[in-house]
Amino acid sequence: MTTHNSVWILDDDRSIRWVLEKSLNKAGVKTVSFENGDDLLHRLAREIPDAIISDIRMPGISGLDLLSTIQEQYPQLPVIIMTAHSDLDSAVSSYSRGAFEYLPKPFDIEEAVAVTQRALEHAREQNIEVNADDAMETQEIIGEAPAMQEVFRAI
């Protein structure tokens, strides 16, 4: 089950979580914050947000390992990776593992909100495409049913 306009924030730094929560809430985005990746993965088994913002370096599962896991299970879920240790290797690793965007710390909060809104828009577009594909599949199945073929011949 997916919620509408929801972003999960993962960072072991409480002040970063707080700033992102307040700024995104002010922009009309629902947020849920996590201190570690394991808690996020447990919740992800029951619920899917529209986007995730994750730090790279944290105790426990790293943001890059989390990103790989999410991309395997939920490839259309946009993940924004942020880090205070911005370097070319981190950026390349993030994008090669499927990150939607890479956000170096310290970030401009307006830029962080704008990147998040782009991720949410991307999620909406992906959802529309998936729903359209499902609708086409359903129409094909219904159209191929023998009872429907009789209806089509009668028309």
Side-chain angles (χ1 to χ4, degrees), residues 108-138:
D108 176 80
I109 196 61
E110 289 177 10
E111 176 64 17
V113 170
V115 166
T116 303
Q117 289 173 328
R118 284 196 305 270
L120 290 169
E121 180 59 31
H122 176 77
R124 279 189 287 278
E125 290 169 1
Q126 293 297 317
N127 195 31
I128 289 168
E129 288 175 19
V130 168
N131 289 340
D133 290 345
D134 289 347
M136 289 297 290
E137 226 173 83
T138 301

mmCIF file of all heavy atoms in Angstrom, residues 108-138:
data_model
loop_
_atom_site.group_PDB
_atom_site.id
_atom_site.type_symbol
_atom_site.label_atom_id
_atom_site.label_comp_id
_atom_site.label_asym_id
_atom_site.label_seq_id
_atom_site.Cartn_x
_atom_site.Cartn_y
_atom_site.Cartn_z
ATOM 1 N N ASP A 108 21.401 23.358 0.831
ATOM 2 C CA ASP A 108 20.465 24.465 0.916
ATOM 3 C C ASP A 108 19.085 23.835 1.091
ATOM 4 O O ASP A 108 18.692 22.979 0.292
ATOM 5 C CB ASP A 108 20.540 25.291 -0.373
ATOM 6 C CG ASP A 108 19.521 26.409 -0.391
ATOM 7 O OD1 ASP A 108 19.777 27.450 0.234
ATOM 8 O OD2 ASP A 108 18.441 26.210 -1.012
ATOM 9 N N ILE A 109 18.371 24.214 2.124
ATOM 10 C CA ILE A 109 17.104 23.566 2.432
ATOM 11 C C ILE A 109 16.085 23.739 1.305
ATOM 12 O O ILE A 109 15.309 22.827 1.014
ATOM 13 C CB ILE A 109 16.537 24.018 3.802
ATOM 14 C CG1 ILE A 109 15.454 23.036 4.264
ATOM 15 C CG2 ILE A 109 16.031 25.434 3.766
ATOM 16 C CD1 ILE A 109 15.912 21.632 4.475
ATOM 17 N N GLU A 110 16.105 24.878 0.638
ATOM 18 C CA GLU A 110 15.189 25.078 -0.491
ATOM 19 C C GLU A 110 15.516 24.111 -1.625
ATOM 20 O O GLU A 110 14.613 23.587 -2.284
ATOM 21 C CB GLU A 110 15.242 26.528 -0.977
ATOM 22 C CG GLU A 110 14.610 27.498 0.009
ATOM 23 C CD GLU A 110 14.722 28.947 -0.422
ATOM 24 O OE1 GLU A 110 15.117 29.211 -1.580
ATOM 25 O OE2 GLU A 110 14.414 29.809 0.398
ATOM 26 N N GLU A 111 16.802 23.857 -1.833
ATOM 27 C CA GLU A 111 17.212 22.886 -2.858
ATOM 28 C C GLU A 111 16.782 21.481 -2.453
ATOM 29 O O GLU A 111 16.305 20.705 -3.282
ATOM 30 C CB GLU A 111 18.726 22.941 -3.072
ATOM 31 C CG GLU A 111 19.250 21.895 -4.043
ATOM 32 C CD GLU A 111 18.735 22.034 -5.474
ATOM 33 O OE1 GLU A 111 18.226 23.096 -5.854
ATOM 34 O OE2 GLU A 111 18.842 21.046 -6.221
ATOM 35 N N ALA A 112 16.922 21.148 -1.182
ATOM 36 C CA ALA A 112 16.506 19.828 -0.698
ATOM 37 C C ALA A 112 15.001 19.623 -0.901
ATOM 38 O O ALA A 112 14.566 18.553 -1.329
ATOM 39 C CB ALA A 112 16.870 19.665 0.778
ATOM 40 N N VAL A 113 14.212 20.658 -0.622
ATOM 41 C CA VAL A 113 12.761 20.578 -0.824
ATOM 42 C C VAL A 113 12.453 20.445 -2.318
ATOM 43 O O VAL A 113 11.622 19.628 -2.717
ATOM 44 C CB VAL A 113 12.037 21.793 -0.199
ATOM 45 C CG1 VAL A 113 10.575 21.841 -0.618
ATOM 46 C CG2 VAL A 113 12.161 21.755 1.320
ATOM 47 N N ALA A 114 13.143 21.209 -3.155
ATOM 48 C CA ALA A 114 12.909 21.156 -4.605
ATOM 49 C C ALA A 114 13.262 19.773 -5.169
ATOM 50 O O ALA A 114 12.515 19.212 -5.973
ATOM 51 C CB ALA A 114 13.722 22.238 -5.315
ATOM 52 N N VAL A 115 14.377 19.199 -4.728
ATOM 53 C CA VAL A 115 14.777 17.863 -5.177
ATOM 54 C C VAL A 115 13.731 16.839 -4.738
ATOM 55 O O VAL A 115 13.347 15.943 -5.497
ATOM 56 C CB VAL A 115 16.179 17.500 -4.629
ATOM 57 C CG1 VAL A 115 16.473 16.019 -4.780
ATOM 58 C CG2 VAL A 115 17.249 18.324 -5.320
ATOM 59 N N THR A 116 13.253 16.976 -3.513
ATOM 60 C CA THR A 116 12.239 16.063 -2.992
ATOM 61 C C THR A 116 10.947 16.177 -3.793
ATOM 62 O O THR A 116 10.315 15.165 -4.126
ATOM 63 C CB THR A 116 11.978 16.339 -1.499
ATOM 64 O OG1 THR A 116 13.222 16.221 -0.786
ATOM 65 C CG2 THR A 116 10.965 15.371 -0.925
ATOM 66 N N GLN A 117 10.541 17.385 -4.131
ATOM 67 C CA GLN A 117 9.329 17.568 -4.922
ATOM 68 C C GLN A 117 9.480 16.967 -6.316
ATOM 69 O O GLN A 117 8.529 16.397 -6.855
ATOM 70 C CB GLN A 117 8.943 19.047 -4.973
ATOM 71 C CG GLN A 117 8.416 19.515 -3.619
ATOM 72 C CD GLN A 117 8.166 21.015 -3.544
ATOM 73 O OE1 GLN A 117 8.855 21.812 -4.170
ATOM 74 N NE2 GLN A 117 7.184 21.390 -2.730
ATOM 75 N N ARG A 118 10.692 17.051 -6.893
ATOM 76 C CA ARG A 118 10.934 16.402 -8.187
ATOM 77 C C ARG A 118 10.818 14.880 -8.045
ATOM 78 O O ARG A 118 10.276 14.210 -8.922
ATOM 79 C CB ARG A 118 12.311 16.778 -8.744
ATOM 80 C CG ARG A 118 12.368 18.172 -9.335
ATOM 81 C CD ARG A 118 13.581 18.396 -10.210
ATOM 82 N NE ARG A 118 14.855 18.129 -9.575
ATOM 83 C CZ ARG A 118 15.579 19.020 -8.895
ATOM 84 N NH1 ARG A 118 15.148 20.261 -8.769
ATOM 85 N NH2 ARG A 118 16.738 18.681 -8.364
ATOM 86 N N ALA A 119 11.328 14.342 -6.940
ATOM 87 C CA ALA A 119 11.228 12.896 -6.699
ATOM 88 C C ALA A 119 9.770 12.473 -6.553
ATOM 89 O O ALA A 119 9.361 11.431 -7.074
ATOM 90 C CB ALA A 119 12.033 12.506 -5.452
ATOM 91 N N LEU A 120 8.979 13.290 -5.865
ATOM 92 C CA LEU A 120 7.553 12.983 -5.699
ATOM 93 C C LEU A 120 6.822 13.040 -7.040
ATOM 94 O O LEU A 120 5.959 12.202 -7.318
ATOM 95 C CB LEU A 120 6.914 13.939 -4.696
ATOM 96 C CG LEU A 120 7.342 13.736 -3.246
ATOM 97 C CD1 LEU A 120 6.858 14.894 -2.379
ATOM 98 C CD2 LEU A 120 6.838 12.406 -2.712
ATOM 99 N N GLU A 121 7.153 14.004 -7.864
ATOM 100 C CA GLU A 121 6.552 14.112 -9.194
ATOM 101 C C GLU A 121 6.931 12.887 -10.029
ATOM 102 O O GLU A 121 6.094 12.305 -10.725
ATOM 103 C CB GLU A 121 6.997 15.397 -9.894
ATOM 104 C CG GLU A 121 6.409 15.583 -11.275
ATOM 105 C CD GLU A 121 4.877 15.623 -11.292
ATOM 106 O OE1 GLU A 121 4.268 16.076 -10.316
ATOM 107 O OE2 GLU A 121 4.301 15.176 -12.308
ATOM 108 N N HIS A 122 8.184 12.481 -9.937
ATOM 109 C CA HIS A 122 8.644 11.275 -10.635
ATOM 110 C C HIS A 122 7.852 10.051 -10.163
ATOM 111 O O HIS A 122 7.427 9.228 -10.985
ATOM 112 C CB HIS A 122 10.146 11.085 -10.376
ATOM 113 C CG HIS A 122 10.708 9.834 -10.972
ATOM 114 N ND1 HIS A 122 10.983 9.714 -12.310
ATOM 115 C CD2 HIS A 122 11.029 8.647 -10.401
ATOM 116 C CE1 HIS A 122 11.456 8.500 -12.540
ATOM 117 N NE2 HIS A 122 11.488 7.832 -11.403
ATOM 118 N N ALA A 123 7.646 9.945 -8.859
ATOM 119 C CA ALA A 123 6.884 8.822 -8.294
ATOM 120 C C ALA A 123 5.450 8.826 -8.824
ATOM 121 O O ALA A 123 4.905 7.775 -9.173
ATOM 122 C CB ALA A 123 6.889 8.883 -6.765
ATOM 123 N N ARG A 124 4.831 10.013 -8.902
ATOM 124 C CA ARG A 124 3.466 10.116 -9.439
ATOM 125 C C ARG A 124 3.433 9.666 -10.899
ATOM 126 O O ARG A 124 2.531 8.939 -11.315
ATOM 127 C CB ARG A 124 2.936 11.543 -9.312
ATOM 128 C CG ARG A 124 2.399 11.862 -7.930
ATOM 129 C CD ARG A 124 1.677 13.191 -7.892
ATOM 130 N NE ARG A 124 2.568 14.332 -7.974
ATOM 131 C CZ ARG A 124 3.237 14.847 -6.940
ATOM 132 N NH1 ARG A 124 3.124 14.317 -5.747
ATOM 133 N NH2 ARG A 124 4.020 15.884 -7.098
ATOM 134 N N GLU A 125 4.420 10.092 -11.687
ATOM 135 C CA GLU A 125 4.472 9.705 -13.097
ATOM 136 C C GLU A 125 4.644 8.191 -13.237
ATOM 137 O O GLU A 125 4.004 7.570 -14.077
ATOM 138 C CB GLU A 125 5.613 10.433 -13.809
ATOM 139 C CG GLU A 125 5.359 11.912 -13.981
ATOM 140 C CD GLU A 125 6.593 12.675 -14.445
ATOM 141 O OE1 GLU A 125 7.658 12.056 -14.654
ATOM 142 O OE2 GLU A 125 6.486 13.908 -14.592
ATOM 143 N N GLN A 126 5.507 7.609 -12.411
ATOM 144 C CA GLN A 126 5.725 6.163 -12.449
ATOM 145 C C GLN A 126 4.440 5.430 -12.084
ATOM 146 O O GLN A 126 4.102 4.421 -12.689
ATOM 147 C CB GLN A 126 6.849 5.749 -11.492
ATOM 148 C CG GLN A 126 8.208 6.245 -11.888
ATOM 149 C CD GLN A 126 8.659 5.684 -13.228
ATOM 150 O OE1 GLN A 126 8.490 4.513 -13.513
ATOM 151 N NE2 GLN A 126 9.207 6.533 -14.062
ATOM 152 N N ASN A 127 3.727 5.938 -11.087
ATOM 153 C CA ASN A 127 2.482 5.321 -10.643
ATOM 154 C C ASN A 127 1.428 5.378 -11.746
ATOM 155 O O ASN A 127 0.703 4.418 -11.974
ATOM 156 C CB ASN A 127 1.979 6.004 -9.367
ATOM 157 C CG ASN A 127 0.915 5.198 -8.672
ATOM 158 O OD1 ASN A 127 0.899 3.982 -8.735
ATOM 159 N ND2 ASN A 127 0.014 5.889 -7.998
ATOM 160 N N ILE A 128 1.351 6.478 -12.451
ATOM 161 C CA ILE A 128 0.403 6.619 -13.562
ATOM 162 C C ILE A 128 0.730 5.613 -14.658
ATOM 163 O O ILE A 128 -0.144 4.947 -15.192
ATOM 164 C CB ILE A 128 0.411 8.070 -14.110
ATOM 165 C CG1 ILE A 128 -0.251 9.004 -13.097
ATOM 166 C CG2 ILE A 128 -0.277 8.143 -15.473
ATOM 167 C CD1 ILE A 128 -0.057 10.472 -13.386
ATOM 168 N N GLU A 129 2.040 5.459 -14.979
ATOM 169 C CA GLU A 129 2.450 4.514 -16.013
ATOM 170 C C GLU A 129 2.110 3.083 -15.599
ATOM 171 O O GLU A 129 1.604 2.306 -16.401
ATOM 172 C CB GLU A 129 3.954 4.636 -16.283
ATOM 173 C CG GLU A 129 4.323 5.899 -17.024
ATOM 174 C CD GLU A 129 5.825 6.069 -17.179
ATOM 175 O OE1 GLU A 129 6.560 5.065 -17.043
ATOM 176 O OE2 GLU A 129 6.256 7.199 -17.442
ATOM 177 N N VAL A 130 2.385 2.729 -14.344
ATOM 178 C CA VAL A 130 2.085 1.382 -13.855
ATOM 179 C C VAL A 130 0.586 1.133 -13.900
ATOM 180 O O VAL A 130 0.132 0.089 -14.367
ATOM 181 C CB VAL A 130 2.634 1.177 -12.422
ATOM 182 C CG1 VAL A 130 2.085 -0.085 -11.790
ATOM 183 C CG2 VAL A 130 4.152 1.137 -12.446
ATOM 184 N N ASN A 131 -0.216 2.092 -13.443
ATOM 185 C CA ASN A 131 -1.670 1.933 -13.465
ATOM 186 C C ASN A 131 -2.200 1.826 -14.891
ATOM 187 O O ASN A 131 -3.116 1.067 -15.158
ATOM 188 C CB ASN A 131 -2.353 3.081 -12.721
ATOM 189 C CG ASN A 131 -2.132 3.001 -11.224
ATOM 190 O OD1 ASN A 131 -1.810 1.944 -10.686
ATOM 191 N ND2 ASN A 131 -2.288 4.124 -10.549
ATOM 192 N N ALA A 132 -1.624 2.581 -15.806
ATOM 193 C CA ALA A 132 -2.046 2.514 -17.208
ATOM 194 C C ALA A 132 -1.714 1.142 -17.786
ATOM 195 O O ALA A 132 -2.527 0.552 -18.511
ATOM 196 C CB ALA A 132 -1.382 3.615 -18.024
ATOM 197 N N ASP A 133 -0.531 0.607 -17.459
ATOM 198 C CA ASP A 133 -0.151 -0.723 -17.930
ATOM 199 C C ASP A 133 -1.103 -1.778 -17.373
ATOM 200 O O ASP A 133 -1.533 -2.676 -18.092
ATOM 201 C CB ASP A 133 1.288 -1.072 -17.524
ATOM 202 C CG ASP A 133 2.317 -0.253 -18.285
ATOM 203 O OD1 ASP A 133 1.954 0.371 -19.311
ATOM 204 O OD2 ASP A 133 3.491 -0.228 -17.859
ATOM 205 N N ASP A 134 -1.448 -1.668 -16.096
ATOM 206 C CA ASP A 134 -2.380 -2.609 -15.473
ATOM 207 C C ASP A 134 -3.753 -2.529 -16.145
ATOM 208 O O ASP A 134 -4.383 -3.551 -16.387
ATOM 209 C CB ASP A 134 -2.542 -2.328 -13.977
ATOM 210 C CG ASP A 134 -1.297 -2.690 -13.183
ATOM 211 O OD1 ASP A 134 -0.407 -3.381 -13.740
ATOM 212 O OD2 ASP A 134 -1.208 -2.284 -12.007
ATOM 213 N N ALA A 135 -4.220 -1.322 -16.451
ATOM 214 C CA ALA A 135 -5.523 -1.148 -17.083
ATOM 215 C C ALA A 135 -5.533 -1.781 -18.474
ATOM 216 O O ALA A 135 -6.490 -2.438 -18.854
ATOM 217 C CB ALA A 135 -5.876 0.336 -17.177
ATOM 218 N N MET A 136 -4.448 -1.599 -19.227
ATOM 219 C CA MET A 136 -4.360 -2.191 -20.560
ATOM 220 C C MET A 136 -4.383 -3.713 -20.463
ATOM 221 O O MET A 136 -5.051 -4.378 -21.240
ATOM 222 C CB MET A 136 -3.081 -1.734 -21.279
ATOM 223 C CG MET A 136 -3.119 -0.280 -21.702
ATOM 224 S SD MET A 136 -4.419 0.045 -22.911
ATOM 225 C CE MET A 136 -3.756 -0.814 -24.317
ATOM 226 N N GLU A 137 -3.645 -4.268 -19.498
ATOM 227 C CA GLU A 137 -3.615 -5.711 -19.303
ATOM 228 C C GLU A 137 -5.012 -6.230 -18.967
ATOM 229 O O GLU A 137 -5.456 -7.239 -19.503
ATOM 230 C CB GLU A 137 -2.654 -6.033 -18.150
ATOM 231 C CG GLU A 137 -1.716 -7.163 -18.436
ATOM 232 C CD GLU A 137 -0.698 -7.301 -17.345
ATOM 233 O OE1 GLU A 137 -1.019 -7.942 -16.324
ATOM 234 O OE2 GLU A 137 0.404 -6.758 -17.503
ATOM 235 N N THR A 138 -5.717 -5.527 -18.083
ATOM 236 C CA THR A 138 -7.060 -5.929 -17.676
ATOM 237 C C THR A 138 -7.999 -5.888 -18.874
ATOM 238 O O THR A 138 -8.794 -6.802 -19.072
ATOM 239 C CB THR A 138 -7.581 -5.011 -16.551
ATOM 240 O OG1 THR A 138 -6.672 -5.102 -15.460
ATOM 241 C CG2 THR A 138 -8.959 -5.419 -16.097
#
